[in-house]
Amino acid sequence: MRVQYESEKRFTVQRDALTITGENIAAGQSSVTQVMEGWLNSPGHCRNIMSSRYQEVGTSKVDSTTADYPTYWTQVFASPR
């Protein structure tokens, strides 16, 4: 899945500056409310969102007409060294 690849690449580039990283990925939801409800109802995704270990977060939504799903969502969590 392209979204994972881009995120992994970003983690690789930033690896030396980060001590802790986490990521949530979702596909197919059409609204922020739907994706957040899904993440909050998933123990692993919710753990990333609620973790006090992370000091920074980035979010994105990507729309596609050629991928398996029309919409992809990501959250990337990190703490600097």
Side-chain angles (χ1 to χ4, degrees), residues 43-76:
H45 293 102
C46 186
R47 190 169 28 257
N48 279 343
I49 293 167
M50 300 298 183
S51 177
S52 63
R53 299 180 333 151
Y54 302 123
Q55 297 176 15
E56 300 178 10
V57 63
T59 61
S60 66
K61 174 189 175 205
V62 175
D63 294 316
S64 176
T65 58
T66 58
D68 293 338
Y69 295 94
T71 306
Y72 291 86
W73 305 81
T74 62
Q75 291 180 313
V76 178

Side-chain angles (χ1 to χ4, degrees), residues 29-44:
Q29 295 85 352
S30 60
S31 71
V32 172
T33 299
Q34 287 178 337
V35 75
M36 287 304 299
E37 284 177 355
W39 281 335
L40 291 173
N41 287 321
S42 165

